Amino acid sequence: MGRTFRIYLAGESVFLCRQCGNHLAVGESVLSKAFTGQHGRAILIQHAVNVYTGEAEEREMRTGKHVVRDVFCQVCHSVLGWKYDLAYEPEQKYKEGKFILERELITEKMENKRDLQSDRPRIDEVPVRELMARV
Ligand SMILES: [Zn+2]
């Protein structure tokens, strides 16, 4: 598949994989914090990075039938939540292409003010190979 990139995020807060600390999403990408996952509270987010998805499958949910895919951490391969491919109910269509991350499986890191004021780019792409060479 060629080179693998990991994206490092900077925002008011960043969501990380609880297992390995991999960056997943910025606080600004949260659409709703009122979702429920298999492990309790969950968040709906616009976009997640450094993850991959499993096979599409149809699931009956509290809000109707959806086609979803499990979402896995690209680094430690833990399940983090799921992605909505398709919603059958018209009022659920807004969830298509969005991600659910389970609170139990992630942590939220608040950035301090100094970081916010620095002129670092908000999204920084670093090839994994380059990172490994530095260690
Ligand atoms: Zn992880």
Side-chain angles (χ1 to χ4, degrees), residues 57-68 88-89:
E57 51 181 271
E58 217 168 60
R59 276 184 213 165
E60 196 66 53
M61 301 181 135
R62 202 167 47 87
T63 49
K65 198 188 278 182
H66 295 77
V67 176
V68 299
Y88 291 96
E89 305 295 329

Side-chain angles (χ1 to χ4, degrees), residues 101-131:
L101 297 180
E102 305 223 26
R103 279 282 187 186
E104 192 69 20
L105 309 174
I106 58 171
T107 53
E108 185 173 10
K109 190 180 100 194
M110 305 304 287
E111 295 289 330
N112 61 39
K113 284 220 173 71
R114 197 167 54 82
D115 280 355
L116 280 177
Q117 282 162 3
S118 75
D119 53 10
R120 274 178 54 204
R122 272 182 50 79
I123 294 177
D124 200 15
E125 283 195 341
V126 183
V128 168
R129 197 176 297 161
E130 193 184 313
L131 279 176

Side-chain angles (χ1 to χ4, degrees), residues 17-22 73-78 80:
C17 170
R18 182 160 289 195
Q19 287 295 323
C20 73
N22 184 19
C73 174
Q74 203 183 66
V75 176
C76 72
H77 311 291
S78 305
L80 300 166

Side-chain angles (χ1 to χ4, degrees), residues 3-109:
R3 283 201 295 179
T4 310
F5 287 88
R6 274 186 67 192
I7 299 167
Y8 289 81
L9 301 170
E12 279 178 39
S13 71
V14 177
F15 292 99
L16 314 172
C17 170
R18 182 160 289 195
Q19 287 295 323
C20 73
N22 184 19
H23 287 204
L24 305 170
V26 287
E28 288 90 333
S29 139
V30 175
L31 301 169
S32 170
K33 293 191 172 183
F35 274 71
T36 305
Q38 285 169 309
H39 305 275
R41 306 284 292 180
I43 55 171
L44 180 73
I45 57 167
Q46 187 73 42
H47 189 62
V49 297
N50 305 320
V51 296
Y52 63 95
T53 53
E55 291 290 302
E57 51 181 271
E58 217 168 60
R59 276 184 213 165
E60 196 66 53
M61 301 181 135
R62 202 167 47 87
T63 49
K65 198 188 278 182
H66 295 77
V67 176
V68 299
R69 295 167 185 270
D70 283 329
V71 170
F72 301 90
C73 174
Q74 203 183 66
V75 176
C76 72
H77 311 291
S78 305
V79 180
L80 300 166
W82 64 87
K83 181 185 180 184
Y84 291 101
D85 268 15
L86 195 119
Y88 291 96
E89 305 295 329
E91 67 272 25
Q92 304 298 330
K93 287 278 180 198
Y94 73 96
K95 292 189 287 193
E96 290 179 356
K98 313 292 196 304
F99 294 78
I100 288 283
L101 297 180
E102 305 223 26
R103 279 282 187 186
E104 192 69 20
L105 309 174
I106 58 171
T107 53
E108 185 173 10
K109 190 180 100 194

